[in-house]
Amino acid sequence: MISSNEVYEYDSEGCAKGVIQCDTFDLNALPQDCIAAVLSFTSPRDACRLSVVSTVFKSAANSDAIWERFLPSDYHAMIPSSLCFSSKKELYFRLCDNPILIDGGRKSFSLERGSGKKCYMLSARELSIVWSDTPTYWRWGSTPESRFEEVAELLNVCWLEIHGKISVSLLSPMTHYKAYIVFKATTGAYGFEFQPMEVSVGLVGTEGSKRSVYLDAERGRRQRQFVPRRIGLFSRSRFFGLQTAVSTTQATDDQYPKVRLDGWLEIELGS
């Protein structure tokens, strides 16, 4: 409801010239389709907030017409036929809270809750991991904690190199993306606390932006000022190699893993 109000009009010298009368206008008097059309140009977060304004706004904010706009244009081709939903709003939030597997289970797809932007996760099988086919260095298995059928477990390696890529055509347009690596540390794992890892993100054919991160959250923080660098084998149970002491610059919190809601660790690689 916009109530009646008096607005004073002033001349160039600041003197009042008169009064402009504003009449009362009831927003609830607008047709629901009109309100829905306006809300469709906002965001999912704003639509949910505006739904508490009135019953008319709530009805409009829950309409399929709005949530169809918030869903990706190609969502029909991405969701499985077995996925059941009673409304487009329900489908939207299911895709936010329950990622679905695509590309034969090698990727997962979900939506960012506040904006509806596309989010993807690549499985270990979708990554290029140096020596991943060598049982001495890596072991492939499964765990109920993972959304993917297979996970890769690092056993013993002297050179850790992992590459991943995704087509930009799959991403939401006009969107700033960040890339993360998601992992868990097994009991007794060590070796990563002694030196930072170099990571980078960029377009294929370019060098990309580079930064250093620590894969060990707790022990890495204790090495911010002075890090013993070991050159040799990274292992779950043992560490071979030479040790040299090198000074480092002050590390920041974004260089260390953070715990996700699902219990896994993640660390930003770049954007």
Side-chain angles (χ1 to χ4, degrees), residues 5-259:
N5 196 11
E6 291 183 345
V7 179
Y8 290 89
E9 183 181 12
Y10 296 89
D11 59 20
S12 60
E13 297 180 355
C15 298
K17 295 172 59 178
V19 177
I20 301 175
Q21 187 70 30
C22 296
D23 295 327
T24 300
F25 176 69
D26 188 359
L27 290 176
N28 290 323
L30 289 172
Q32 182 175 317
D33 290 346
C34 180
I35 297 176
V38 173
L39 295 182
S40 67
F41 287 98
T42 62
S43 67
R45 180 183 291 109
D46 291 334
C48 290
R49 290 172 176 171
L50 291 169
S51 67
V52 303
V53 171
S54 67
T55 55
V56 176
F57 270 65
K58 182 178 181 179
S59 180
N62 289 333
S63 68
D64 279 351
I66 286 183
W67 293 95
E68 179 78 21
R69 289 286 299 269
F70 294 153
L71 289 165
S73 58
D74 57 349
Y75 78 91
H76 289 286
M78 305 185 72
I79 62 174
S81 57
S82 58
L83 184 62
C84 300
F85 52 91
S86 59
S87 67
K88 296 298 174 60
K89 182 178 180 180
E90 180 188 350
L91 172 61
Y92 177 89
F93 284 108
R94 288 191 65 175
L95 292 177
C96 293
D97 299 332
N98 301 285
I100 60 174
L101 297 180
I102 60 175
D103 289 352
R106 298 175 72 92
K107 297 187 185 76
S108 74
F109 164 76
S110 62
L111 298 178
E112 198 281 319
R113 195 177 185 88
S115 65
K117 301 296 186 179
K118 296 178 179 179
C119 302
Y120 293 91
M121 180 180 286
L122 307 183
S123 69
R125 282 296 185 188
E126 189 71 1
L127 301 174
S128 174
I129 306 175
V130 174
W131 294 325
S132 62
D133 57 349
T134 305
T136 306
Y137 301 142
W138 292 87
R139 177 166 58 203
W140 290 91
S142 62
T143 173
E145 301 169 342
S146 174
R147 69 184 63 174
F148 298 109
E149 182 178 351
E150 283 187 297
V151 296
E153 181 183 0
L154 172 61
L155 300 178
N156 194 340
V157 70
C158 61
W159 182 269
L160 180 62
E161 184 173 344
I162 302 174
H163 295 270
K165 63 181 179 179
I166 188 170
S167 173
V168 294
S169 63
L170 296 177
L171 307 179
S172 297
M174 306 297 292
T175 303
H176 182 80
Y177 276 89
K178 291 184 177 181
Y180 295 81
I181 185 170
V182 179
F183 64 98
K184 273 193 173 183
T186 57
T187 302
Y190 63 93
F192 295 110
E193 73 274 21
F194 295 110
Q195 63 182 35
M197 304 291 123
E198 183 181 84
V199 297
S200 66
V201 173
L203 296 175
V204 174
T206 66
E207 185 176 357
S209 58
K210 294 182 179 180
R211 63 194 300 261
S212 295
V213 299
Y214 291 88
L215 297 186
D216 187 291
E218 298 302 324
R219 299 177 72 176
R221 285 191 177 95
R222 295 197 292 268
Q223 304 294 325
R224 291 184 180 184
Q225 299 297 329
F226 192 76
V227 178
R229 175 173 295 175
R230 298 194 176 191
I231 306 170
L233 300 178
F234 300 97
S235 173
R236 292 190 309 138
S237 57
R238 57 188 182 276
F239 194 106
F240 299 102
L242 301 175
Q243 176 176 318
T244 57
V246 295
S247 61
T248 62
T249 57
Q250 181 73 24
T252 57
D253 284 342
D254 65 348
Q255 289 180 272
Y256 299 102
K258 294 178 174 59
V259 181

